[in-house]
Amino acid sequence: MTIQFSNYGQERERIATESEIEIFDLIRSMTNRDDLELVRKSDNYVSAVLGDWDLARFKYTPRAKWIVFPVLEAGAQKHRIESPSDVSSFADLLADSLAHIVKYSN
């Protein structure tokens, strides 16, 4: 009998597309937070992380283009985007997510 652990939640090598890096830079400038990190915790997306919290999860590849705000929206509602700059239209969700994280962080 062997025990096999799933690959979920731990940080992995950051492999992000240029567009995902552009989205992260936009999120960082919109939040004015230099302590945000770009992290890959899943094979399926990258995250803008503040401490232990995922502020936003996003994917931007030729086949999938979306952003999710897991702190606010149950069920990981994917907001479709056409270009990295579309993320700026989610400023309210981003601000609300950041406020929630700040409120419940140490």
Side-chain angles (χ1 to χ4, degrees), residues 52-66:
D52 292 332
W53 297 79
D54 285 13
L55 176 63
R57 297 175 181 158
F58 46 96
K59 183 169 190 160
Y60 197 96
T61 64
R63 294 179 54 189
K65 298 170 178 71
W66 52 262

Side-chain angles (χ1 to χ4, degrees), residues 44-45 57-59 63-70 73-81 90 93:
N44 299 322
Y45 56 82
R57 297 175 181 158
F58 46 96
K59 183 169 190 160
R63 294 179 54 189
K65 298 170 178 71
W66 52 262
I67 187 166
V68 171
F69 301 94
E73 302 174 316
Q77 180 181 345
K78 290 181 181 174
H79 300 279
R80 305 292 175 194
I81 56 177
F90 299 103
L93 284 172

